[in-house]
Amino acid sequence: MREITYLEAVREALTQAMEADADVFLFGEDIGIYGGAFGVTRGMQEQLGKERVRDTPISESALAGAAAGSALTGMRPVLELQFSDFITIALDQLVNQAAKMRYMFGGKAKVPMVVRTPSGSGTGAAAQHSQSLEAWVAHVPGLKVVQPSTPYDAKGLLKAAIEDDNPVIFYEHKLLYKTKGEVPEEPYSIPLGKAEVKRKGTDVTVIATGIMVPKALQAAEILAKKEIEVEVVDPRTLVPLDEETMIQSVKKTGRACVVYEAVKRGGYGAEIASMIAESEAFDYLDAPIVRLGGKEVPIPYNPQLEKAAVPQEEDIVQAIEQMVAKVI
Amino acid sequence: MDTLPIKRELLPELLHQMWLIRYFDEKVDEFFAKGAIHGTTHLCVGQEATAAGACAVLQPKDKITSTHRGHGHCIAKGADVKRMMAELFGRETGYCKGKGGSMHIADLDLGNLGANGIVGGGIPIAVGSALTSKLKNLGYVTICFFGDGAANEGSFHESINLAAIWDLPVIFICENNQYGMSGSTKEMFRVKNISERGLGYGIPGVTIDGNDLFAVMKAVSEATERARVGDGPTLIEAKTYRWKGHSKSDAKKYRTREEEQEWRNRRDPIKRYTEQLIQEGILDEDRAEAVRKQAKEEIEEAVRFAEESPFPPLKSLEEDVFA
């Protein structure tokens, strides 16, 4: 099968969704001629027109609200927020409006909108352009939250997100944009709420999200040489969360390590760790559940400091070696 | 009167509607005092003409977004007062199955995209609705109601700009009732009229007497015509007054009794409209009185309906979070 980048996979999903459904349209800051801050929509305005690939003023709050309003009235808007940090400016509309419309209107409304947004650190853009705030939106009932880690997942999950009748926050990690992988040309959908075992193993389950998935896979390769077999599970969507796949994996391996880029305290990894502890997998645990998350600092500018602020392969290797050593 | 934007025979219905709004909110006030309605509510007694006048010139396909003081807008857009009252009583038969309460009444079938508990929260939603109309060529307009307080929110400025640059069919109606909670417009604005802000975004801004139903109809009718031919949004500031406090716990220390009396006695929108109708020979006093009585009875009936309606079952708690 052909290989394309994560970025191309996202673009292909957008293009195919727009070709399939006239109600789908894109809007956001600089997504037209500029092609978006990271080039995801490059060429799309030329191909699909200014009406459907719509450049906007810098007005995140109004854009998020306009997405909700147009979704409520029959469109399927896909809004690009240039950096996921800017979700803070749009939060009222996402949290107080889009997320709640259906419930507070007594089940009558549908709000089929997607907010695509590049997240995470590693680009040297420092504290206001590098955050991982997915736990904030995952906390709010009524929002779905997606974090694809591969080009294949990005394409299939984005199709599902656009076809979903609820507001979906779709996190694209900036450092994944250039990663390559096998992606079918034809449209396909990956259901939201379905985790995937990215690597099979018997000794430890690593549950990793977003950019931490490839890092966990690299760590697993290193550990395999030390005869520690790591199973890597990628939830792919935080809401809805596929608890079953993770519980089954931990029952099999007896150890769980949750790895995420967001600040460890209050991050979504805490939710996953608690979910495992509360489940039937608890009785199978041979070691305490370990969380590896970002340090409790704003993301710094200096490259060495930036790297040290979030988990790296070596941190995962070390944590797992310690977990295994405790029992053996 | 020669250039009415609606048919002359429909004018008495607007009197009926204004009475419905007034009696609805007075009844809500009464039941709050008795403790039969919980939470909070924001009454629009005294502001009936803006809602009734604006919605009168709309077509059924047109849409509105509303505010936390939204009962009048809902009624004017055709909501069933029985289901509204049931909602405030927290009953299953209410518009939101008892989950929304006063601030979240919506009826998408009637084009009511929802009241809103967040000041300024509905403004971008109205812009999104107008964007749908434009993208799908549906020809409907969206009226965006908001208060003077919301005109100082960021969402107001961002949304008007967005609607202006895209020539969207939306009408921004600022119901300036003089106070955002206790904050008087005299203290919270340096502009004399909020409508002046339209200029800053390149759209027409007009200030009207929001208690004169004919003035409201005329301004909104002109704005809808502009919107429908693709000339974009209009900002209308309707000066009015809320007779009651901000919400149920308001001692109204920020304004004088004289000021309240002035608006109640001399500028009552219903009294004024009734006199206009009688003067024009559209209604006589007996018929006007009959219209009032009928509205009062309908509200009594709404209360009976609400009181007799069941509470939502506990199992409904987790329903309708997702579609």
Side-chain angles (χ1 to χ4, degrees):
Chain A
M1 199 187 293
R2 68 174 182 152
E3 287 203 340
I4 60 172
T5 64
Y6 185 97
L7 183 149
E8 288 162 342
V10 172
R11 184 190 297 146
E12 194 164 271
L14 291 172
T15 307
Q16 289 177 348
M18 291 176 74
E19 284 165 353
D21 185 350
D23 290 343
V24 179
F25 73 101
L26 314 186
F27 68 137
E29 297 154 13
D30 307 302
I31 68 167
I33 295 171
Y34 198 91
F38 293 88
V40 174
T41 55
R42 197 161 291 155
M44 289 187 70
Q45 192 177 65
E46 233 167 58
Q47 192 188 341
L48 293 149
K50 279 188 162 183
E51 284 282 290
R52 297 186 71 200
V53 181
R54 187 168 274 261
D55 277 315
T56 70
I58 303 164
S59 309
E60 287 81 3
S61 172
L63 299 179
S70 66
L72 190 64
T73 47
M75 299 299 291
R76 290 189 172 273
V78 181
L79 169 64
E80 177 175 303
L81 283 184
Q82 208 159 64
F83 285 84
S84 73
D85 311 71
F86 306 163
I87 214 161
T88 54
I89 317 168
L91 272 181
D92 169 52
Q93 288 298 326
L94 298 176
V95 170
N96 285 322
Q97 311 295 342
K100 295 178 170 60
M101 278 173 173
R102 182 172 180 80
Y103 191 83
M104 68 187 183
F105 293 168
K108 290 185 298 275
K110 275 186 200 168
V111 190
M113 59 182 272
V114 178
V115 177
R116 288 183 40 243
T117 189
S119 74
S121 65
T123 63
Q128 295 169 339
H129 288 72
S130 304
Q131 293 167 91
S132 301
L133 299 174
E134 57 274 7
W136 288 22
V137 284
H139 186 72
V140 178
L143 296 177
K144 294 191 176 181
V145 183
V146 183
Q147 269 191 310
S149 66
T150 67
Y152 179 87
D153 288 354
K155 183 174 172 184
L157 289 168
L158 186 50
K159 181 174 177 349
I162 293 170
E163 288 171 355
D164 197 280
D165 280 335
N166 300 286
V168 182
I169 316 296
F170 194 88
Y171 284 103
E172 298 162 12
H173 199 287
K174 291 159 225 165
L175 295 189
L176 290 174
Y177 276 138
K178 287 181 181 167
T179 60
K180 282 195 156 189
E182 290 190 345
V183 178
E185 283 180 44
E186 66 276 10
Y188 60 92
S189 189
I190 298 171
L192 306 184
K194 196 98 189 72
E196 189 181 47
V197 177
K198 297 286 188 194
R199 184 187 196 280
K200 283 201 179 299
T202 49
D203 299 323
V204 183
T205 297
V206 171
I207 296 162
T209 55
I211 186 80
M212 292 300 150
V213 176
K215 287 186 180 177
L217 289 169
Q218 284 158 14
E221 290 303 312
I222 295 166
L223 288 160
K225 289 178 192 134
K226 301 178 181 184
E227 296 187 351
I228 300 170
E229 285 304 321
V230 177
E231 179 145 309
V232 178
V233 181
D234 176 2
R236 301 197 287 198
T237 62
L238 303 186
V239 183
L241 187 65
D242 178 0
E243 299 182 359
E244 192 53 30
T245 301
M246 289 180 269
I247 290 167
Q248 290 311 319
S249 175
V250 176
K251 277 168 73 177
K252 184 176 75 176
T253 63
R255 295 181 190 87
C257 175
V258 189
V259 191
Y260 52 111
E261 179 168 335
V263 170
K264 181 176 168 184
R265 165 165 40 88
Y268 203 76
E271 175 63 30
I272 293 173
S274 300
M275 182 276 295
I276 293 166
E278 287 169 351
S279 78
E280 62 192 78
F282 180 77
D283 291 334
Y284 295 78
L285 287 176
D286 294 327
I289 302 167
V290 169
R291 273 183 297 153
L292 282 185
K295 299 268 195 318
E296 296 185 8
V297 296
I299 299 295
Y301 167 66
N302 171 281
Q304 283 78 36
L305 295 181
E306 184 184 30
K307 205 173 168 202
V310 301
Q312 303 297 337
E313 293 86 20
E314 52 271 28
D315 301 314
I316 304 171
V317 169
Q318 196 186 11
I320 289 171
E321 282 178 330
Q322 282 173 4
M323 283 179 85
V324 174
K326 266 182 197 160
V327 184
I328 294 170
Chain B
M1 291 292 281
D2 297 335
T3 54
L4 278 173
I6 65 167
K7 285 187 185 136
R8 201 177 152 92
E9 56 266 32
L10 295 176
L11 293 175
E13 171 52 27
L14 298 181
L15 182 63
H16 171 243
Q17 218 171 60
M18 285 204 286
W19 278 121
L20 273 183
I21 296 169
R22 176 155 305 174
Y23 284 132
F24 186 91
D25 268 6
E26 285 187 343
K27 193 53 89 175
V28 170
D29 207 17
E30 183 188 322
F31 276 95
F32 249 113
K34 289 186 198 165
I37 293 176
H38 81 154
T40 191
T41 192
H42 311 81
L43 308 176
C44 64
V45 176
Q47 300 183 200
E48 297 86 356
T50 47
C55 293
V57 300
L58 293 184
Q59 297 171 8
K61 66 180 177 182
D62 294 331
K63 310 209 185 291
I64 65 162
T65 61
S66 174
T67 69
H68 59 285
R69 199 176 305 286
H71 301 159
H73 309 140
C74 293
I75 292 171
K77 195 68 176 80
D80 176 354
V81 289
K82 292 204 286 292
R83 292 183 64 195
M84 283 178 64
M85 195 64 84
E87 185 57 37
L88 269 73
F89 276 66
R91 307 300 165 116
E92 196 184 11
T93 52
Y95 267 105
C96 313
K97 299 181 190 166
K99 289 173 176 174
S102 165
M103 289 190 282
H104 302 300
I105 294 172
D107 191 336
L108 300 175
D109 296 334
L110 287 173
N112 175 1
L113 304 181
N116 211 304
I118 303 293
V119 173
I123 308 178
I125 293 166
V127 171
S129 165
L131 182 57
T132 297
S133 180
K134 181 165 181 160
L135 285 171
K136 296 184 112 164
N137 202 19
L138 296 173
Y140 69 75
V141 302
T142 303
I143 283 187
C144 173
F145 289 108
F146 56 99
D148 45 280
N152 285 333
E153 284 278 8
S155 64
F156 165 86
H157 298 277
E158 291 190 9
S159 299
I160 292 202
N161 184 57
L162 204 57
I165 59 166
W166 289 344
D167 291 323
L168 296 182
V170 57
I171 297 132
F172 298 101
I173 301 184
C174 177
E175 289 178 299
N176 178 355
N177 66 13
Q178 317 299 322
Y179 296 94
M181 275 190 79
S182 66
S184 118
T185 49
K186 291 187 190 77
E187 289 172 16
M188 301 302 166
F189 291 84
R190 281 299 284 272
V191 287
K192 184 162 170 275
N193 294 316
I194 294 168
S195 66
E196 291 166 34
R197 291 185 172 175
L199 187 66
Y201 297 99
I203 66 166
V206 288
T207 293
I208 57 167
D209 181 345
N211 282 11
D212 178 353
L213 191 141
F214 287 106
V216 176
M217 278 201 295
K218 182 170 177 289
V220 178
S221 173
E222 284 166 9
T224 55
E225 279 166 29
R226 267 177 53 78
R228 280 193 223 280
V229 297
D231 284 348
T234 304
L235 172 61
I236 296 170
E237 176 193 15
K239 293 209 170 171
T240 182
Y241 198 79
R242 59 166 152 82
W243 291 10
K244 308 276 180 180
H246 164 72
S247 62
K248 64 172 177 171
S249 57
D250 184 355
K252 297 185 286 183
K253 284 181 180 166
Y254 48 86
R255 68 193 200 191
T256 63
R257 199 156 166 74
E258 291 72 40
E259 179 184 294
E260 288 184 6
Q261 290 306 322
E262 160 73 13
W263 284 88
R264 275 176 186 260
N265 297 340
R266 288 169 38 86
R267 303 175 74 169
D268 177 350
I270 299 184
K271 195 167 160 233
R272 183 173 179 174
Y273 185 61
T274 308
E275 284 166 6
Q276 285 168 325
L277 290 182
I278 291 170
Q279 209 172 359
E280 291 292 328
I282 292 162
L283 285 184
D284 58 25
E285 281 186 24
D286 288 348
R287 273 217 44 217
E289 180 60 11
V291 168
R292 185 191 66 78
K293 271 190 175 164
Q294 195 206 330
K296 199 169 170 53
E297 276 164 27
E298 283 176 52
I299 297 303
E300 294 294 344
E301 170 62 25
V303 170
R304 280 194 295 276
F305 175 80
E307 284 177 326
E308 285 163 12
S309 289
F311 287 103
L314 280 178
K315 71 173 170 58
S316 73
L317 174 67
E318 293 183 72
E319 287 170 4
D320 296 328
V321 176
F322 288 114

